[in-house]
Amino acid sequence: MSGLFVAFEGGEGAGKSTQVARLDGWLQEQGISARLTREPGATPAGERIRAIVLDPTSSLTPRAEALLYAADRAQHVETVIRPVLAAGGVVISDRYVDSSLAYQGAGRALSLPKVRQVSEWATGGLVPDLTVVLDIEPAAGLARAAGHRSPDRIEQESLAFHERVRAGFCELAAADPARYLVLDASGDPDELAGTVRGRLAPVVRLLAAR
Ligand code: TMP
């Protein structure tokens, strides 16, 4: 049996890192050690790409932005994600392909099929077993994120941009319910974590029994 790949997605301030940590804690209780990772910025090259894409002084065209995220992802998949999965391990990523489809596709209004094509090429077609979308009202999420630090280049985008991103995530999930779990991120974090655990329990039982 190959490993398990779970991605967490959502707008700014949706609480992804909290839910990644909750899932990791539960897996540890079952004796499973997961590789926690994120996009952009999980590799040395990716950290440099992250600095460019999030720097408010970077002047990037939408296509250049999309390709930088794709480059980060290509490096991430080949050097971090695939080796763990090939060894039968569990990978939990804070963002993955759907972020490019939502932010660059829906947000920047680039062609969705093109962004999908670039992402597929970057990942060699690697798709998560489950993608959890933490759905949040953009105004509430941005306010939550603003509490932590000054807004980065993407957070500085208009509310309309973030509304398109949110709609983009919801459309992706609606098109493939078997591979997505959409949660109302304004809910209680414990309850959200419980729903994620419930969804993953059957496969985790198999992993723990190996
Ligand atoms: P975060 O890691 O703190 O969530 O920040 C990453 C930012 O980059 C966030 O605003 C979403 C954005 N992003 C994209 O626009 N496209 C992508 O493909 C990814 C992975 C992130």
Side-chain angles (χ1 to χ4, degrees):
M1 184 183 173
S2 61
L4 173 69
F5 180 18
V6 180
F8 281 82
E9 299 279 9
E12 316 300 324
K16 290 181 284 93
S17 35
T18 302
Q19 290 305 320
V20 166
R22 295 288 172 97
L23 177 58
D24 182 43
W26 177 66
L27 290 171
Q28 282 181 29
E29 287 165 22
Q30 332 282 310
I32 296 170
S33 158
R35 175 70 158 86
L36 307 190
T37 188
R38 68 166 179 175
E39 290 189 359
T43 63
E47 278 178 38
R48 296 168 76 172
I49 294 172
R50 181 180 177 92
I52 297 170
V53 291
L54 296 187
D55 182 348
T57 67
S58 297
S59 167
L60 295 172
T61 68
R63 288 181 192 205
E65 179 184 287
L67 290 168
L68 284 167
Y69 281 112
D72 167 79
R73 184 163 304 125
Q75 189 76 10
H76 184 208
V77 167
E78 193 155 335
T79 67
V80 178
I81 302 179
R82 280 196 191 272
V84 175
L85 296 178
V90 176
V91 174
I92 306 173
S93 187
D94 184 332
R95 300 195 182 280
Y96 190 60
V97 168
D98 294 275
S99 278
S100 283
L101 298 173
Y103 282 84
Q104 281 68 54
R108 299 286 185 220
L110 290 174
S111 149
L112 199 60
K114 288 278 186 229
V115 178
R116 200 185 284 279
Q117 206 179 350
V118 168
S119 291
E120 264 174 33
W121 188 70
T123 62
L126 181 69
V127 175
D129 297 291
L130 177 68
T131 297
V132 180
V133 175
L134 295 169
D135 180 47
I136 188 147
E137 193 87 54
L142 286 164
R144 225 198 252 184
H148 300 299
R149 54 193 154 67
S150 61
D152 62 36
R153 198 176 62 86
I154 305 281
E155 287 163 350
Q156 285 181 1
E157 283 299 328
S158 66
L159 197 56
F161 171 90
H162 290 284
E163 298 279 8
R164 290 196 297 277
V165 170
R166 180 191 193 189
F169 279 128
C170 291
E171 276 166 32
L172 291 165
D176 192 359
R179 212 178 53 70
Y180 288 85
L181 174 63
V182 183
L183 299 175
D184 177 354
S186 67
D188 173 46
D190 287 337
E191 276 180 30
L192 299 178
T195 308
V196 175
R197 288 199 296 271
R199 179 72 175 253
L200 288 171
V203 61
V204 167
R205 264 196 295 277
L206 292 176
L207 287 170
R210 282 192 302 188

